[in-house]
Amino acid sequence: MSTLDTMASEQLDTHFAQLEDRLGHDYADVARTRLHALVDHERARFAGARIHAYVPILVERAVRAALAAT
């Protein structure tokens, strides 16, 4: 049985997979394992957030900023 939390979690997983694909395309010189680690790190910061709609956008911005800084 699916719950709203389960569906939202699955949808977020899809968004993060697409985000990693975009980052992999835009930063082809960065190892996929590093991209995944950066996304996971930033995603964990929002684990307790009550609203998750904007989390993928915030994670993407933070990861891109971290990659631009290096």
Side-chain angles (χ1 to χ4, degrees):
M1 177 196 303
S2 291
T3 65
L4 286 177
D5 289 339
T6 302
M7 290 186 292
S9 178
E10 290 170 358
Q11 190 176 29
L12 276 175
D13 290 342
T14 300
H15 283 293
F16 283 112
Q18 292 169 349
L19 168 60
E20 286 186 30
D21 287 342
R22 277 195 311 276
L23 291 169
H25 181 265
D26 294 346
Y27 297 93
D29 57 326
V30 177
R32 287 287 237 180
T33 54
R34 179 160 184 246
L35 292 175
H36 182 74
L38 287 168
V39 169
D40 274 353
H41 173 75
E42 291 300 329
R43 184 179 183 178
R45 292 179 52 215
F46 298 99
R50 289 179 32 173
I51 299 173
H52 294 269
Y54 299 106
V55 172
I57 295 165
L58 297 171
V59 168
E60 182 169 2
R61 288 182 179 178
V63 170
R64 287 184 184 276
L67 290 170
T70 57

